[in-house]
C-alpha cells in the first residue's frame, strides 16, 4: 500500500543552472566561424593593455586616491548628487596628488567614464576594473573601450552649436572612424570633413529633411522634394558648419587615446584601430549569424538568441550593442525585461552583463520594480565583484523564491518537462511542503501556471498531487 500523505521529499540544494546554458532539443549543431584575426600589425593584447594603462594612468591614480580617501563614513565625494566632484574634495585631492583642481576634475571624469570609480549618492567607491587593474589585461582594455565609447563626453562640445548638429556628428563619426581604420594610415582632415558632410546629409535624408531652393519658399501649395538650384552653393556652407564639430570630435578622440592629429591629418592609434576593428567585426558577425539580429528590436533579438549556446548568444549581444548607443540599448533591454515572458527577462540581464559598467545606473534604478528586483540585485552584485557562484546570497529568501518561480515560468513556457523537474532540485527549500508554502506566499503572477506545469511533469504521483493541490489553493485564494 502507498500512503495518501504527500511524501516529504528532500530536495538537493544545487546551484541554479542559467537557463541560457540549457541546450534545447531544437538546437542544431552549427559550424563554428573561425576566430577572426586582427589586421596585420595589430599589437598583442598584452601590449594593447599596456597602452591602455598608460592612457588611463592619471585616471587610475585619482581613482585609487578616492578609494582611500572617500566612501561611506568618510568625506563626501560630490555635492550635487550628479557625480560632480565637490570643490573641497577636488582641492584636497589636488594637494595630496600634486595636481591642480582642474586636472583632478578631468581625471575624475575619465575614471568614471572608464568604470574605475563609481559614485552612489554622495559617496564614491572603486570599480571592479580598478581592483583588477594590475592583473587582468581584459579588464583594462574593457575600461579603455568604455572610455572610447564615451568620447563625446570626454571633451566639452564647442559653444554655440545646435544640439541637433552635435548629435548628427556623434551619429556620423563611426563611419569616419571606420574609414580611418580601413585606410591604415594618415588621412587628410579635409577628406574626413567631406565624408562627415556626406554622412550627415544621409542622416538628414533618412529623416526626410529635404532642402528647398528659394523658389520653393512659397508655402501656399504642396512642395515636391528634389534638388534645388542652390544645392551646390549649400555644400561649402554645410562643410563650414561641420568643420568646428569635426575638429571637436577629433580632439575628443585624441584625448582618449584613439587617434592623433597633426599637419592637417588624422591617424588612428594602435588602440583606436583595434577598437574600431573589434566593433566592425562584431557587426559582421551579426550580419553573418544564423539569427541576424543586428537590425531588430531588443525583444526579437532576445528571442533569436534563446536557442543559442551561451558563447554564441553573447556574440549576438555584443554585435547588437555595437550597432546602438549604450543608452538606447539599455533602455530597450529593460523594456523587454518588463514583459510577461520570463525567458526574455533572464536573457535581457545576460545582455546587460555584456554592456557592463555603462548599464549600472539604469540597472540600479529598477531595483525597486518587483519583477526586476532579483535580476537587478544579482547583476549589481556581480558588477561589484562578487563571484557569480555566490551572488545569489545577496537575495532574501523571498526574493530567491520569486526568482525560482520566474525561472520555472520560463522553463514551463520554453523548455521540456524533464528540465522543469530538474529545476525543482534547485530550490532553496529543503522539502516540497516548505517550497510550496513559500511559493504561495511570494505572490508571483505565474504561480498557478508553474505549479500546474510542474504537477503534470513530475513522475512521482504523490508529489504531483501535492503540487496540484497547492495550485488549486492559490487559484481559489486558499
Amino acid at each position: 500500500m502507498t500512503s495518501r500523505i504527500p511524501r516529504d521529499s528532500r530536495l538537493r540544494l544545487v546551484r541554479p543552472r542559467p537557463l541560457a546554458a540549457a541546450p534545447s532539443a531544437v538546437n542544431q549543431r552549427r559550424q563554428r566561424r573561425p576566430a577572426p584575426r586582427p589586421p596585420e600589425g595589430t599589437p598583442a593584447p598584452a601590449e594593447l593593455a599596456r597602452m591602455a594603462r598608460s592612457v588611463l594612468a592619471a585616471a587610475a591614480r585619482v581613482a585609487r586616491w578616492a578609494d582611500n580617501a572617500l566612501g561611506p563614513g568618510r568625506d563626501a565625494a560630490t555635492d550635487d548628487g550628479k557625480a560632480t566632484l565637490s570643490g573641497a574634495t577636488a582641492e584636497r585631492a589636488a594637494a595630496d596628488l600634486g595636481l591642480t583642481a582642474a586636472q583632478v576634475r578631468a581625471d575624475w571624469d575619465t575614471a568614471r567614464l572608464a568604470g574605475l570609480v563609481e559614485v552612489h549618492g554622495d559617496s564614491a567607491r572603486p570599480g571592479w576594473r580598478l581592483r583588477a587593474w594590475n592583473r587582468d589585461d581584459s579588464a583594462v582594455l574593457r575600461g579603455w573601450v568604455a572610455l572610447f565609447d564615451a568620447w563625446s563626453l570626454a571633451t566639452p562640445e564647442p559653444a554655440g552649436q545646435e544640439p541637433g548638429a552635435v548629435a548628427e556628428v556623434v551619429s556620423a563619426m563611426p563611419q569616419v572612424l571606420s574609414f580611418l581604420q580601413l585606410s591604415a594610415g594618415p588621412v587628410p582632415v579635409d577628406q574626413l570633413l567631406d565624408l562627415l558632410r556626406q554622412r550627415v546629409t544621409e542622416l538628414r535624408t533618412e529623416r526626410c529633411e529635404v532642402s528647398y531652393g528659394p523658389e520653393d519658399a512659397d508655402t501656399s501649395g504642396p512642395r515636391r522634394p528634389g534638388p534645388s538650384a542652390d544645392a551646390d552653393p549649400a555644400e561649402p556652407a554645410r562643410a563650414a558648419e561641420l568643420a568646428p564639430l569635426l575638429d571637436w570630435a577629433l580632439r575628443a578622440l585624441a584625448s582618449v587615446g584613439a587617434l592623433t592629429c597633426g599637419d592637417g591629418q588624422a591617424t588612428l592609434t594602435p588602440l583606436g584601430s583595434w577598437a574600431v576593428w573589434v566593433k566592425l567585426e562584431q557587426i559582421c558577425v551579426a550580419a553573418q549569424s544564423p539569427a541576424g539580429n543586428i537590425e531588430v528590436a531588443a525583444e526579437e533579438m532576445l528571442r533569436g538568441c534563446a536557442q543559442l549556446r551561451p558563447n554564441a548568444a553573447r556574440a549576438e549581444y555584443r554585435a547588437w550593442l555595437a550597432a546602438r548607443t549604450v543608452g538606447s540599448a539599455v533602455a530597450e533591454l529593460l523594456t523587454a525585461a518588463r514583459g510577461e515572458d520570463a525567458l526574455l527577462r533572464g536573457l535581457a540581464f545576460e545582455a546587460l552583463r555584456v554592456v557592463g559598467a555603462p548599464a549600472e545606473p539604469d540597472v540600479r534604478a529598477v531595483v525597486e520594480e518587483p519583477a526586476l528586483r532579483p535580476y537587478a540585485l544579482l547583476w549589481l552584485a556581480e558588477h561589484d565583484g562578487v563571484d557569480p557562484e555566490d551572488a545569489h546570497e545577496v537575495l532574501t529568501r523571498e526574493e530567491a523564491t520569486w526568482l525560482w518561480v520566474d525561472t520555472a515560468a520560463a522553463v514551463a513556457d520554453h523548455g521540456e518537462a524533464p528540465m522543469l523537474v530538474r529545476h525543482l532540485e534547485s530550490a532553496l527549500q529543503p522539502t516540497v511542503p516548505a517550497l510550496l508554502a513559500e511559493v504561495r506566499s511570494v505572490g508571483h503572477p505565474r504561480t498557478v501556471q508553474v505549479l500546474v506545469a510542474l504537477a503534470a511533469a513530475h513522475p512521482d504521483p504523490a508529489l504531483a498531487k501535492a503540487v496540484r493541490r497547492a495550485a488549486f489553493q492559490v487559484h481559489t485564494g486558499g
Side-chain angles (χ1 to χ4, degrees):
M1 296 180 62
T2 59
S3 171
R4 299 181 63 86
I5 300 175
R7 300 174 187 172
D8 188 18
S9 302
R10 307 298 294 183
L11 301 179
R12 289 187 291 142
L13 300 180
V14 299
R15 171 89 170 111
R17 190 183 183 198
L19 190 60
S24 169
V26 300
N27 199 26
Q28 303 295 324
R29 181 181 297 275
R30 296 186 175 96
Q31 292 183 350
R32 290 185 178 274
R33 184 174 183 261
R37 292 180 178 274
E40 186 176 353
T42 301
E47 178 63 15
L48 289 169
R50 186 194 65 76
M51 297 176 184
R53 285 188 178 94
S54 177
V55 172
L56 294 170
R61 186 184 179 200
V62 169
R64 290 194 184 95
W65 178 88
D67 184 19
N68 293 323
L70 308 176
R74 288 174 282 180
D75 291 346
T78 67
D79 56 9
D80 63 357
K82 298 180 180 179
T84 303
L85 205 60
S86 66
T89 305
E91 294 292 345
R92 178 185 168 194
D96 290 349
L97 299 175
L99 303 171
T100 66
Q103 288 174 317
V104 169
R105 290 185 183 279
D107 293 341
W108 171 265
D109 290 340
T110 299
R112 285 176 47 232
L113 293 174
L116 300 180
V117 66
E118 300 170 2
V119 177
H120 304 282
D122 63 352
S123 64
R125 67 183 181 195
W128 69 270
R129 287 171 183 150
L130 185 66
R131 298 297 191 201
W133 192 250
N134 294 323
R135 57 179 170 79
D136 190 341
D137 288 348
S138 65
V140 174
L141 288 173
R142 289 173 68 182
W144 183 84
V145 169
L147 176 64
F148 170 68
D149 287 340
W151 66 265
S152 61
L153 303 177
T155 300
E157 62 199 49
Q161 295 291 333
E162 290 290 333
V166 174
E168 287 175 338
V169 169
V170 173
S171 298
M173 281 307 293
Q175 185 166 330
V176 175
L177 290 169
S178 299
F179 181 75
L180 276 168
Q181 198 276 334
L182 293 172
S183 299
V187 177
V189 172
D190 288 343
Q191 191 173 356
L192 297 180
L193 181 59
D194 185 56
L195 177 62
L196 179 65
R197 177 189 57 77
Q198 293 178 39
R199 181 58 184 149
V200 168
T201 299
E202 291 173 359
L203 292 172
R204 292 175 178 175
T205 301
E206 290 170 3
R207 296 196 304 270
C208 299
E209 294 183 4
V210 182
S211 298
Y212 299 95
E215 70 277 7
D216 292 328
D218 181 11
T219 59
S220 60
R223 296 183 296 184
R224 185 174 62 186
S228 70
D230 289 354
D232 291 341
E235 297 306 327
R238 180 167 295 173
E241 168 194 341
L242 294 175
L245 288 173
L246 175 62
D247 178 67
W248 160 70
L250 294 178
R251 284 188 292 107
L253 286 161
S255 73
V256 303
L259 54 77
T260 59
C261 290
D263 299 327
Q265 295 181 319
T267 309
L268 285 179
T269 64
L271 267 177
S273 179
W274 166 78
V276 175
W277 171 79
V278 168
K279 293 184 179 298
L280 289 173
E281 183 60 28
Q282 289 172 349
I283 293 173
C284 291
V285 168
Q288 297 175 15
S289 68
N293 295 300
I294 190 170
E295 295 182 356
V296 300
E299 182 172 338
E300 188 177 347
M301 180 273 293
L302 294 172
R303 292 191 189 280
C305 292
Q307 304 299 332
L308 300 178
R309 298 295 182 117
N311 286 340
R314 281 190 289 271
E316 292 284 332
Y317 302 150
R318 283 192 293 269
W320 186 85
L321 292 166
R324 289 160 178 77
T325 61
V326 172
S328 65
V330 171
E332 270 198 70
L333 290 170
L334 289 174
T335 298
R338 293 186 179 97
E340 296 182 358
D341 195 327
L343 176 63
L344 299 191
R345 195 156 25 253
L347 293 177
F349 277 86
E350 288 298 322
L352 289 169
R353 286 178 174 85
V354 175
V355 177
E360 189 264 349
D362 297 274
V363 174
R364 194 171 295 279
V366 303
V367 164
E368 299 307 319
E369 297 184 31
L372 303 185
R373 180 176 176 80
Y375 295 95
L377 291 175
L378 290 176
W379 190 98
L380 291 168
E382 294 177 24
H383 175 67
D384 291 342
V386 177
D387 191 300
E389 291 291 326
D390 302 324
H392 65 281
E393 295 177 3
V394 304
L395 302 180
T396 65
R397 183 69 164 248
E398 182 178 358
E399 290 163 351
T401 302
W402 196 100
L403 181 60
W404 184 91
V405 178
D406 204 50
T407 308
V411 176
D413 290 343
H414 301 277
E416 301 167 347
M419 190 184 300
L420 187 59
V421 174
R422 288 196 301 271
H423 184 61
L424 180 63
E425 300 173 351
S426 69
L428 295 175
Q429 293 75 10
T431 67
V432 170
L435 170 65
L436 295 178
E438 294 190 33
V439 164
R440 290 164 57 183
S441 68
V442 296
H444 193 289
R446 296 290 304 280
T447 298
V448 173
Q449 293 93 327
V450 165
L451 293 178
V452 169
L454 181 58
H458 207 284
D460 186 326
L463 188 147
K465 183 176 180 180
V467 174
R468 277 194 300 273
R469 182 183 299 114
F472 178 77
Q473 291 171 341
V474 173
H475 176 63
T476 59

